[in-house]
Amino acid sequence: MLLAVDVGNTDITFGLFQKEELITRFRVTVKVPRSSDEYGELICTILQKKGYSPSDVEEVIIASVVPKIMYSFTSGIYKYLDCHPLVVGAGTKTGIRIETANPREIGPDRIVDAVSAYEQYGGPIIVVDYGTATTYDLVTADGVFMGGVISPGIRISANALWNNTANLPEIEIKCPGFLIAKDTVTSMQAGLFYGTIGQSEYIIRRMKEESGLSDVKVVATGGLGKIIAENTNEIQVYDSDLTLRGLQLIYEKQKR
């Protein structure tokens, strides 16, 4: 089996694949510093609770945007799963061509999302990932990664709102159902939710205009992407497993 791992700024997401089938997934936080033994034991314990043995894992592929944990994390995988993980980076075969000023600067999570969207839905395509940061990336019909936009994620904006004001409380991020709110909590929810939708719609339209590609499919992923995608016509597809599937596709390309 293949264990695909997406190491983000907030969470580490795991997906266990049996050939091309995603059979289980789980998530842990990255906010707590851990040793290699702690990472290894945590992964093994969760696998066993889900009914799988650590020995079932034959290969591991990782995309990470958090370099500082990678030594402990990969060491834990090697010691407890007996695997040398493939870490997506420069030199990894992806099937798409990156045409930016410095391709090495593009985060591996963005590349993995772009590969997944292009392989599954075709091009041209815009990929929007509502993670810790919100990213918008464009891939052409012939598989060229043209570049994109990085903006603060919804949770970053929310944390800035209540951490830098004296009287605004910490709130649940959700769709309030209306824009003109009559109390503080729903006013904040409206600003965060509809502000994100407004940003998304504007950026997507501008990307289409600047690229000259009007007939572009838009696919979204990320934790809060579902409620955004459900409330705008600019996004056609929401795919919660886009990154994990992209890792599996990239792994298969390395084998070939």
Side-chain angles (χ1 to χ4, degrees):
M1 293 182 184
L2 171 69
L3 185 64
V5 188
D6 173 26
V7 180
N9 288 292
T10 304
D11 297 314
I12 305 175
T13 305
F14 299 80
L16 187 63
F17 286 86
Q18 189 164 42
K19 295 184 178 179
E20 296 182 355
E21 181 186 0
L22 179 59
I23 55 177
T24 192
R25 63 182 67 77
F26 54 95
R27 188 186 304 263
V28 300
T29 182
V30 297
K31 290 186 176 179
V32 180
R34 295 184 175 99
S35 68
S36 60
D37 290 319
E38 288 172 322
Y39 276 121
E41 288 184 359
L42 182 60
I43 294 168
C44 290
T45 299
I46 296 175
L47 283 170
Q48 289 166 342
K49 285 185 177 296
K50 287 183 170 288
Y52 302 96
S53 168
S55 62
D56 292 333
V57 178
E58 300 167 302
E59 302 288 348
V60 179
I61 183 170
I62 304 171
S64 173
V65 295
V66 191
K68 66 181 180 180
I69 75 163
M70 288 301 290
Y71 180 79
S72 294
F73 186 68
T74 55
S75 295
I77 288 173
Y78 175 69
K79 289 194 289 185
Y80 285 79
L81 299 182
D82 195 26
C83 293
H84 286 284
L86 169 65
V87 181
V88 177
T92 305
K93 297 176 183 177
T94 64
I96 62 173
R97 190 167 75 255
I98 304 172
E99 291 191 355
T100 60
N102 187 349
R104 292 176 182 271
E105 288 183 348
I106 306 299
D109 55 334
R110 296 170 66 190
I111 301 301
V112 171
D113 283 349
V115 169
S116 185
Y118 181 72
E119 293 280 349
Q120 294 187 86
Y121 305 105
I125 193 161
I126 293 172
V127 190
V128 188
D129 190 340
Y130 294 95
T132 303
T134 301
T135 58
Y136 305 79
D137 293 308
L138 173 66
V139 183
T140 65
D142 55 350
V144 176
F145 183 97
M146 297 296 293
V149 176
I150 303 174
S151 66
I154 306 174
R155 295 193 189 281
I156 287 179
S157 299
N159 287 333
L161 193 60
W162 56 64
N163 287 332
N164 292 284
T165 54
N167 294 322
L168 295 182
E170 186 170 341
I171 61 168
E172 177 187 5
I173 301 171
K174 67 177 186 178
C175 173
F178 44 83
L179 180 64
I180 303 175
K182 298 187 181 298
D183 61 80
T184 298
V185 170
T186 48
S187 294
M188 294 168 66
Q189 289 171 335
L192 290 166
F193 180 76
Y194 292 111
T196 301
I197 289 179
Q199 178 198 88
S200 297
E201 292 179 340
Y202 178 80
I203 289 176
I204 290 168
R205 287 195 296 265
R206 278 294 300 270
M207 290 179 76
K208 291 178 180 179
E209 291 172 9
E210 287 191 16
S211 65
L213 301 171
S214 57
D215 187 22
V216 182
K217 180 174 284 188
V218 181
V219 58
T221 191
L224 291 169
K226 190 173 190 297
I227 60 171
I228 301 300
E230 289 173 345
N231 286 274
T232 175
N233 293 326
E234 292 290 345
I235 298 172
Q236 286 76 56
V237 178
Y238 174 75
D239 186 341
S240 61
D241 296 321
L242 191 74
T243 308
L244 294 176
R245 176 63 63 186
L247 285 165
Q248 185 268 332
L249 290 166
I250 289 174
Y251 173 76
E252 291 298 324
K253 291 178 187 296
Q254 311 315 300
K255 286 177 60 180
R256 291 197 294 268

